[in-house]
mmCIF file of all heavy atoms in Angstrom:
data_model
loop_
_atom_site.group_PDB
_atom_site.id
_atom_site.type_symbol
_atom_site.label_atom_id
_atom_site.label_comp_id
_atom_site.label_asym_id
_atom_site.label_seq_id
_atom_site.Cartn_x
_atom_site.Cartn_y
_atom_site.Cartn_z
ATOM 1 N N PRO A 9 9.925 -38.580 -18.778
ATOM 2 C CA PRO A 9 10.076 -39.987 -18.378
ATOM 3 C C PRO A 9 11.543 -40.347 -18.222
ATOM 4 O O PRO A 9 12.383 -39.968 -19.030
ATOM 5 C CB PRO A 9 9.433 -40.756 -19.544
ATOM 6 C CG PRO A 9 9.416 -39.795 -20.694
ATOM 7 C CD PRO A 9 9.247 -38.449 -20.086
ATOM 8 N N ILE A 122 17.171 -44.758 -20.511
ATOM 9 C CA ILE A 122 16.002 -45.638 -20.548
ATOM 10 C C ILE A 122 16.237 -46.856 -21.436
ATOM 11 O O ILE A 122 15.924 -47.990 -21.059
ATOM 12 C CB ILE A 122 14.762 -44.856 -21.023
ATOM 13 C CG1 ILE A 122 14.409 -43.763 -20.002
ATOM 14 C CG2 ILE A 122 13.567 -45.795 -21.211
ATOM 15 C CD1 ILE A 122 13.332 -42.812 -20.475
ATOM 16 N N THR A 123 16.793 -46.631 -22.628
ATOM 17 C CA THR A 123 16.951 -47.746 -23.564
ATOM 18 C C THR A 123 18.016 -48.738 -23.121
ATOM 19 O O THR A 123 18.034 -49.881 -23.589
ATOM 20 C CB THR A 123 17.301 -47.242 -24.984
ATOM 21 O OG1 THR A 123 18.497 -46.450 -24.921
ATOM 22 C CG2 THR A 123 16.168 -46.397 -25.551
ATOM 23 N N ASP A 160 9.292 -53.857 -23.036
ATOM 24 C CA ASP A 160 9.002 -53.657 -24.460
ATOM 25 C C ASP A 160 9.039 -52.185 -24.856
ATOM 26 O O ASP A 160 9.377 -51.843 -25.988
ATOM 27 C CB ASP A 160 7.628 -54.245 -24.814
ATOM 28 C CG ASP A 160 7.627 -55.768 -24.764
ATOM 29 O OD1 ASP A 160 8.721 -56.359 -24.839
ATOM 30 O OD2 ASP A 160 6.540 -56.360 -24.641
ATOM 31 N N ASP A 161 8.649 -51.305 -23.901
ATOM 32 C CA ASP A 161 8.587 -49.881 -24.242
ATOM 33 C C ASP A 161 9.901 -49.144 -23.991
ATOM 34 O O ASP A 161 9.988 -47.936 -24.198
ATOM 35 C CB ASP A 161 7.444 -49.181 -23.498
ATOM 36 C CG ASP A 161 7.554 -49.320 -21.983
ATOM 37 O OD1 ASP A 161 8.410 -50.094 -21.509
ATOM 38 O OD2 ASP A 161 6.771 -48.671 -21.278
ATOM 39 N N ASP A 162 10.931 -49.870 -23.565
ATOM 40 C CA ASP A 162 12.241 -49.239 -23.376
ATOM 41 C C ASP A 162 13.044 -49.304 -24.677
ATOM 42 O O ASP A 162 14.172 -49.805 -24.730
ATOM 43 C CB ASP A 162 13.021 -49.925 -22.244
ATOM 44 C CG ASP A 162 12.580 -49.464 -20.870
ATOM 45 O OD1 ASP A 162 11.740 -48.550 -20.795
ATOM 46 O OD2 ASP A 162 13.067 -50.031 -19.871
ATOM 47 N N ASN A 163 12.436 -48.799 -25.752
ATOM 48 C CA ASN A 163 13.156 -48.737 -27.016
ATOM 49 C C ASN A 163 13.151 -47.296 -27.501
ATOM 50 O O ASN A 163 12.326 -46.472 -27.075
ATOM 51 C CB ASN A 163 12.541 -49.672 -28.064
ATOM 52 C CG ASN A 163 11.139 -49.290 -28.447
ATOM 53 O OD1 ASN A 163 10.918 -48.316 -29.171
ATOM 54 N ND2 ASN A 163 10.151 -50.053 -27.974
ATOM 55 N N GLU A 164 14.083 -46.985 -28.399
ATOM 56 C CA GLU A 164 14.305 -45.593 -28.781
ATOM 57 C C GLU A 164 13.074 -44.938 -29.389
ATOM 58 O O GLU A 164 12.767 -43.776 -29.090
ATOM 59 C CB GLU A 164 15.475 -45.508 -29.768
ATOM 60 C CG GLU A 164 15.937 -44.083 -30.044
ATOM 61 C CD GLU A 164 17.250 -44.031 -30.785
ATOM 62 O OE1 GLU A 164 17.921 -45.077 -30.904
ATOM 63 O OE2 GLU A 164 17.621 -42.927 -31.230
ATOM 64 N N GLU A 165 12.330 -45.664 -30.203
ATOM 65 C CA GLU A 165 11.154 -45.086 -30.850
ATOM 66 C C GLU A 165 10.097 -44.680 -29.831
ATOM 67 O O GLU A 165 9.548 -43.571 -29.882
ATOM 68 C CB GLU A 165 10.557 -46.097 -31.832
ATOM 69 C CG GLU A 165 9.360 -45.568 -32.617
ATOM 70 C CD GLU A 165 8.817 -46.581 -33.601
ATOM 71 O OE1 GLU A 165 9.447 -47.645 -33.794
ATOM 72 O OE2 GLU A 165 7.753 -46.318 -34.190
ATOM 73 N N VAL A 166 9.819 -45.580 -28.882
ATOM 74 C CA VAL A 166 8.814 -45.292 -27.865
ATOM 75 C C VAL A 166 9.277 -44.162 -26.953
ATOM 76 O O VAL A 166 8.506 -43.262 -26.603
ATOM 77 C CB VAL A 166 8.494 -46.558 -27.038
ATOM 78 C CG1 VAL A 166 7.589 -46.219 -25.854
ATOM 79 C CG2 VAL A 166 7.830 -47.611 -27.916
ATOM 80 N N VAL A 167 10.545 -44.188 -26.560
ATOM 81 C CA VAL A 167 11.072 -43.156 -25.665
ATOM 82 C C VAL A 167 10.984 -41.779 -26.315
ATOM 83 O O VAL A 167 10.566 -40.798 -25.675
ATOM 84 C CB VAL A 167 12.526 -43.473 -25.268
ATOM 85 C CG1 VAL A 167 13.146 -42.299 -24.520
ATOM 86 C CG2 VAL A 167 12.578 -44.727 -24.411
ATOM 87 N N LYS A 168 11.346 -41.687 -27.590
ATOM 88 C CA LYS A 168 11.267 -40.401 -28.282
ATOM 89 C C LYS A 168 9.824 -39.909 -28.364
ATOM 90 O O LYS A 168 9.562 -38.702 -28.235
ATOM 91 C CB LYS A 168 11.878 -40.522 -29.667
ATOM 92 C CG LYS A 168 13.403 -40.575 -29.655
ATOM 93 C CD LYS A 168 13.981 -40.598 -31.060
ATOM 94 C CE LYS A 168 15.503 -40.549 -31.019
ATOM 95 N NZ LYS A 168 16.102 -40.598 -32.383
ATOM 96 N N ALA A 169 8.876 -40.827 -28.560
ATOM 97 C CA ALA A 169 7.467 -40.440 -28.604
ATOM 98 C C ALA A 169 7.005 -39.925 -27.243
ATOM 99 O O ALA A 169 6.277 -38.928 -27.157
ATOM 100 C CB ALA A 169 6.613 -41.628 -29.045
ATOM 101 N N ARG A 170 7.449 -40.586 -26.168
ATOM 102 C CA ARG A 170 7.063 -40.160 -24.814
ATOM 103 C C ARG A 170 7.664 -38.801 -24.481
ATOM 104 O O ARG A 170 7.015 -37.949 -23.865
ATOM 105 C CB ARG A 170 7.497 -41.205 -23.789
ATOM 106 C CG ARG A 170 6.727 -42.516 -23.891
ATOM 107 C CD ARG A 170 7.343 -43.588 -23.032
ATOM 108 N NE ARG A 170 7.277 -43.253 -21.614
ATOM 109 C CZ ARG A 170 8.004 -43.861 -20.688
ATOM 110 N NH1 ARG A 170 8.888 -44.780 -21.016
ATOM 111 N NH2 ARG A 170 7.870 -43.513 -19.417
ATOM 112 N N LEU A 171 8.917 -38.593 -24.898
ATOM 113 C CA LEU A 171 9.547 -37.295 -24.662
ATOM 114 C C LEU A 171 8.859 -36.199 -25.465
ATOM 115 O O LEU A 171 8.661 -35.082 -24.971
ATOM 116 C CB LEU A 171 11.035 -37.360 -25.032
ATOM 117 C CG LEU A 171 11.929 -38.145 -24.071
ATOM 118 C CD1 LEU A 171 13.322 -38.312 -24.659
ATOM 119 C CD2 LEU A 171 12.002 -37.460 -22.711
ATOM 120 N N GLY A 172 8.461 -36.522 -26.691
ATOM 121 C CA GLY A 172 7.743 -35.552 -27.504
ATOM 122 C C GLY A 172 6.426 -35.157 -26.873
ATOM 123 O O GLY A 172 6.053 -33.975 -26.870
#
Side-chain angles (χ1 to χ4, degrees):
I122 295 171
T123 57
D160 290 340
D161 57 351
D162 280 355
N163 64 74
E164 190 168 349
E165 183 179 352
V166 172
V167 171
K168 285 184 176 179
R170 292 170 64 196
L171 287 171

